[in-house]
Amino acid sequence: MTQADLGQGLGQGLGQALSNSGAPSCSADQNAVGLHAERLLNLYPSTPASVSRDEGLMLYRDMVLGRRFEDKCAEMYYRGKMFGFVHLYNGQEAVSTGVIKAMKMQHDWFCSTYRDHVHALSCGVPAREVMSELFGKETGCSKGRGGSMHLFSKEHHLLGGYAFIGEGIPVALGAAFTSRYKRDALGDASSDAVTAAFFGDGTCNIGQFYECLNMASLWKLPILFVVENNKWAIGMDHNRATSDPEIWRKAAAFGMAGEEVDGMDVLAVRAAAQRAIERARAGEGPTLLECLTYRFRGHSLADPDELRAEAEKEFWAQRDPIKRLAAHLIEQGLASADELKDIDKQVDAEVADCVEFALAAPEPKPEELTRYIWAED
Ligand SMILES: Cc1ncc(C[n+]2csc(CCOP(=O)(O)OP(=O)(O)O)c2C)c(N)n1
Ligand SMILES: [Mg+2]
């Protein structure tokens, strides 16, 4: 641990005491990029997860869709087509794709945060509906009333994006409770849906997180708490904000399974998610899955991203999950570079189409501003 990791405001004495406290030492190279990178480098090397050609291509396509869709969001935002805060997910795609694509579509449940566009796409919400929502149009998945931070789709079992951090965790817990209650109390043997709740490292320092972990473990609820640890909570370094940066270890306090995983490796995330889903469906309860990842852009499109060190950004950019999967598929002879380029082109066409659709779509009618608030529809 370095003084820089502890933050410049910390006194030398305390910094010294902490650096003598048995925390792992790291090489000069690793110091340049900090503890978060050091954790990634020190992950226990597991056998690379295997994947079939069809699955590999499906995972690749989903991550490329997330990336290209959001690159287009940035362009549209700066052209004044979107309003309010827009938080991009660039860099974290392996988490959304790795977890959601391991689950059963329109059967399992998903709950997100304000960084929700890519989760919605992985859940199968059509790109047209997501882009329309970001433009505030009637054809959006939340009828244009929600915008970027409030994507919702009953059809795709997306329980929502939430602007307040941690707000989605109890909602996800409720969905997990419902599955269990239907099976155990109402006798519906087919009720085996699992819920995935996505949230960030900063969110693990608020009360709802702990309350929900407790209840999920107590009632053995079928839920995955998926922490997307991207090191930053706006401008707050995770290692300065939490007493034990290894979030997955907090699972032990609640008697539940906990696992940390390379969040830049979609196959590793998928394998960890599959283990957790299997436990959840078997009635063995929740898992706390900490994915070590990084966002490639600022906190939101309004953030000039001047705080983070270039060396740190470079370290994580070199581990781009899309390039990594592409290299793996080619190396394993599962796909050719040309096939992957074709997928990129198809995705570009889908993204261009969804923008055209959203631009041409109607605005909600002003006299219908309060429609959909009550259950009349
Ligand atoms: C209850 C609440 N408190 C404060 C905020 C302000 N806020 C917005 S984003 C954020 C940081 C969250 O960081 P993290 O959980 O790591 O998610 P990330 O943005 O990295 O995905 C905070 C504190 C909020 N939205 N909600
Ligand atoms: Mg974060």
Side-chain angles (χ1 to χ4, degrees), residues 1 38 41 67 83 138 143 147 183 189 192 197-198 226 233 246 255 275 285 289 319 323 332 335 340 351 357 371:
M1 188 179 285
E38 187 194 344
L41 295 172
R67 178 71 57 86
F83 307 96
E138 185 71 34
K143 312 285 185 204
R183 199 180 60 194
D192 68 350
F198 294 90
V226 184
E246 300 206 26
R275 288 189 282 276
L289 183 61
R319 287 158 178 80
K323 289 186 187 153
Q332 297 295 310
L340 299 182
V351 171
F357 176 84
R371 195 175 167 197

Side-chain angles (χ1 to χ4, degrees), residues 92 114-115 200-203 228-234 295:
Q92 300 183 204
Y114 45 83
R115 209 177 289 289
D201 45 282
T203 303
E228 306 205 35
N229 184 351
N230 60 12
K231 190 190 167 186
W232 293 94
I234 312 184
R295 58 168 159 75

Side-chain angles (χ1 to χ4, degrees), residues 26-321:
C26 43
S27 73
D29 238 18
Q30 291 166 5
N31 278 339
V33 286
L35 272 180
H36 193 55
E38 187 194 344
R39 283 189 61 195
L40 189 85
L41 295 172
N42 287 342
L43 273 180
Y44 185 73
S46 55
T47 324
S50 65
V51 71
S52 69
R53 173 183 151 83
D54 286 351
E55 277 178 338
L57 292 178
M58 176 272 290
L59 299 174
Y60 178 79
R61 191 185 192 288
D62 194 57
M63 287 199 291
V64 172
L65 177 62
R67 178 71 57 86
R68 305 241 170 167
F69 180 94
E70 290 214 317
D71 287 345
K72 188 57 87 178
C73 289
E75 189 188 320
M76 291 294 132
Y77 179 86
Y78 293 122
R79 279 173 52 187
K81 300 291 180 198
M82 288 174 201
F83 307 96
F85 286 111
V86 176
H87 307 82
L88 300 191
Y89 193 76
N90 285 190
Q92 300 183 204
E93 293 88 351
V95 181
S96 177
T97 300
V99 173
I100 295 175
K101 294 301 187 191
M103 299 179 78
K104 286 192 202 159
M105 295 296 111
Q106 293 166 325
H107 177 81
D108 292 329
W109 296 89
F110 310 95
C111 203
S112 184
T113 67
Y114 45 83
R115 209 177 289 289
D116 55 353
H117 314 160
V118 175
H119 295 141
L121 294 169
S122 292
C123 289
V125 183
R128 282 181 167 196
E129 287 187 26
V130 181
M131 193 58 88
S132 302
E133 189 58 40
L134 302 186
F135 284 25
K137 299 295 184 79
E138 185 71 34
T139 50
C141 57
S142 304
K143 312 285 185 204
R145 270 72 164 178
S148 166
M149 298 194 276
H150 302 287
L151 302 179
F152 171 82
S153 174
K154 185 178 174 188
E155 184 188 345
H156 298 93
H157 287 205
L158 175 63
L159 295 164
Y162 293 86
F164 288 109
I165 65 169
E167 209 185 355
I169 308 176
V171 174
L173 191 86
F177 175 80
T178 304
S179 315
R180 186 92 216 235
Y181 186 80
K182 275 187 181 164
R183 199 180 60 194
D184 295 353
L186 305 181
D188 176 358
S190 71
S191 178
D192 68 350
V194 175
T195 302
F198 294 90
F199 49 93
D201 45 282
T203 303
C204 297
N205 290 324
I206 68 163
Q208 277 133 305
F209 171 68
Y210 297 95
E211 292 177 39
C212 291
L213 253 58
N214 178 56
M215 200 173 273
S217 190
L218 183 68
W219 289 340
K220 290 212 176 319
L221 299 184
I223 184 165
L224 273 61
F225 296 101
V226 184
V227 184
E228 306 205 35
N229 184 351
N230 60 12
K231 190 190 167 186
W232 293 94
I234 312 184
M236 173 55 76
D237 181 336
H238 173 62
N239 303 298
R240 291 182 66 194
T242 193
S243 53
D244 182 353
E246 300 206 26
I247 298 165
W248 68 282
R249 290 189 189 279
K250 295 177 192 199
F254 298 92
M256 72 168 71
E259 192 170 341
E260 65 178 339
V261 66
D262 181 346
M264 308 304 274
D265 178 350
V266 69
L267 300 183
V269 174
R270 182 176 165 85
Q274 281 167 337
R275 288 189 282 276
I277 294 161
E278 206 172 299
R279 278 194 291 274
R281 277 205 224 287
E284 291 169 24
T287 297
L288 176 61
L289 183 61
E290 181 184 5
C291 305
L292 301 177
T293 184
Y294 198 72
R295 58 168 159 75
F296 289 167
R297 293 177 179 263
H299 172 71
S300 74
L301 285 173
D303 171 11
D305 192 22
E306 288 162 341
L307 283 175
R308 302 183 304 169
E310 287 307 317
E312 177 181 297
K313 291 185 205 176
E314 186 49 34
F315 173 91
W316 292 91
Q318 282 171 11
R319 287 158 178 80
D320 185 321

